[in-house]
Amino acid sequence: MSIPKPLVQMNQVFILTTVLLGLFVHPVILILPFITGVLTLITKNNPIIRIGKNFLKKPASSYPPEDKAQQLFNQWIATVCIGLSLVFFILQINWLAYTSSIMVAIASGLALAGYCIGCTIRYRYMMWKYRRRSERQG
């Protein structure tokens, strides 16, 4: 199953914007991308993408596709990092809170520029699993 690229980009802009607002305005704003991420992971249906479908000018199938499984993997990473950031802000371990959020902001920014860190991580993980399975059989 795939997701039209403009919708993935819309979600990346949402994450980047809310994380930056959380860092520069108030950390409580980080609750928005965190809750969105949790809802996405529970339902396998991203509310930002669902809303964005209403704004597509062409049929969804006419846009370049993005892999849904990959997007869920990326959402896991972002949600965990944002969740950690919120916990670290509550515990007043600000340097870890900022580090966790900045990692998400960098990953989102790079994704919008065309490089997916989550894709690289998932690919390497899948190759590691494949090699490990091959070694057991061979």
Side-chain angles (χ1 to χ4, degrees):
M1 183 152 203
S2 64
I3 304 169
K5 187 172 184 160
L7 298 179
V8 172
Q9 291 171 320
M10 175 189 260
N11 187 54
Q12 291 163 342
V13 167
F14 168 77
I15 292 170
L16 179 61
T17 303
T18 54
V19 168
L20 290 176
L21 287 171
L23 292 173
F24 292 110
V25 177
H26 198 282
V28 77
I29 295 170
L30 293 172
I31 292 172
L32 292 172
F34 179 72
I35 290 174
T36 301
V38 170
L39 286 172
T40 299
L41 296 171
I42 290 171
T43 65
K44 307 288 187 257
N45 197 347
N46 186 309
I48 302 302
I49 289 175
R50 195 173 339 118
I51 292 167
K53 285 180 181 177
N54 297 319
F55 298 100
L56 291 177
K57 294 181 181 184
K58 301 185 281 186
S61 61
S62 66
Y63 294 98
E66 295 282 339
D67 182 54
K68 185 172 184 175
Q70 179 65 58
Q71 296 311 311
L72 286 171
F73 181 84
N74 296 349
Q75 190 71 61
W76 267 106
I77 296 170
T79 303
V80 167
C81 289
I82 293 167
L84 287 171
S85 183
L86 285 166
V87 169
F88 293 139
F89 274 121
I90 291 166
L91 297 175
Q92 296 183 357
I93 307 172
N94 291 343
W95 72 273
L96 278 175
Y98 280 101
T99 300
S100 298
S101 289
I102 289 168
M103 288 189 326
V104 174
I106 290 170
S108 296
L110 286 173
L112 287 166
Y115 175 71
C116 175
I117 293 171
C119 299
T120 301
I121 293 168
R122 184 170 180 244
Y123 172 78
R124 289 179 184 228
Y125 171 69
M126 292 171 75
M127 291 306 295
W128 174 80
K129 277 180 36 179
Y130 173 78
R131 281 192 298 273
R132 195 171 150 194
R133 191 176 308 125
S134 296
E135 289 170 2
R136 286 184 190 165
Q137 294 174 351

